[in-house]
Amino acid sequence: MNCMQMDLPTQGARLYTYFLDSSPELRDSGRRPAVIVCPGGAYQFNSDREAEPIALAFCAQGVHACVLRYPCAPARFPTALCALAQAVAWVREHAEEYHVDPDRILVCGFSAGGHLAASLGVFWHQPFLAQVSGVSADLCRPNGMILCYPVITSDPAYAHMGSFENLLGPGADEAQRARVSLEKQVTDQTPPTFLWHTN
């Protein structure tokens, strides 16, 4: 397994890789899908229990994995989103080197990390993201999303308000909250999504 850690251009962002070895002795060891895992933590911290254990579970299924340690509060939107766009782009740019299928790069997120993953899913093609991240839309587009009990809506009746306060700051106005209320941003360009939740 090729395990590396690297700093991304966004300050405070680091990518940890868990790339499986390729060998003629290993079945299906050609180009594999890759999943970039975004841990939860209410945009306050990155949860360890939703990081490496998840990556290793994907590896056990024959899938390359990465864990993104993204900037949290006091960093504000779209800082973490820039980091995820850069992470997807890095994996796609290095796909041949690490035997990744560039057409099967998925983002997976838990809780607030699910909000981050879903944010890339709805904003990947928006000009503002290319401008602030320095990454083109074709490089950062996820091919699919796995959203695990994600934070999605900023509607006060249903929202995890702590996540939005950490993401936007306590003085965010209604327009700012609406922008990151992701159920309002879904279009036909949003990638295929597997979403699950707990009770």
Side-chain angles (χ1 to χ4, degrees):
M1 183 179 294
N2 194 328
C3 297
M4 300 178 292
Q5 51 182 292
M6 71 206 67
D7 293 329
L8 294 170
T10 296
Q11 186 174 6
R14 180 168 282 185
L15 188 67
Y16 295 79
T17 70
Y18 301 81
F19 292 137
L20 296 162
D21 291 328
S22 181
S23 166
E25 295 180 32
L26 301 173
R27 184 173 63 86
D28 298 330
S29 72
R31 290 190 170 194
R32 301 174 187 266
V35 176
I36 299 174
V37 177
C38 302
Y43 284 113
Q44 184 176 17
F45 68 102
N46 289 184
S47 170
D48 290 332
R49 67 185 174 86
E50 296 162 343
E52 186 174 77
I54 307 303
L56 294 177
F58 278 117
C59 290
Q61 300 300 316
V63 176
H64 294 307
C66 300
V67 172
L68 175 64
R69 296 291 188 163
Y70 54 90
C72 295
R76 303 296 184 214
F77 179 84
T79 306
L81 178 57
C82 289
L84 181 54
Q86 292 160 356
V88 172
W90 187 90
V91 172
R92 187 162 277 128
E93 288 174 320
H94 292 83
E96 185 171 352
E97 181 179 356
Y98 296 111
H99 308 285
V100 173
D101 183 341
D103 296 319
R104 291 194 293 168
I105 299 174
L106 290 82
V107 290
C108 171
F110 294 77
S111 190
H115 184 273
L116 175 56
S119 294
L120 186 61
V122 299
F123 291 133
W124 66 269
H125 57 287
Q126 296 291 328
F128 86 88
L129 183 56
Q131 186 175 28
V132 297
S133 69
V135 173
S136 64
D138 60 317
L139 285 177
C140 75
R141 177 181 59 85
N143 299 107
M145 299 189 291
I146 304 168
L147 306 181
C148 314
Y149 44 93
V151 173
I152 293 289
T153 186
S154 66
D155 181 339
Y158 302 102
H160 183 260
M161 293 310 295
S163 292
F164 289 100
E165 287 182 9
N166 289 325
L167 178 65
L168 299 172
D173 61 27
E174 187 174 337
Q176 290 172 302
R177 288 193 299 272
R179 184 181 189 199
V180 294
S181 196
L182 301 182
E183 79 281 11
K184 300 177 181 179
Q185 307 295 343
V186 175
T187 70
D188 59 0
Q189 297 193 69
T190 303
T193 304
F194 180 79
L195 187 152
W196 65 276
H197 66 89
T198 60
N199 182 24

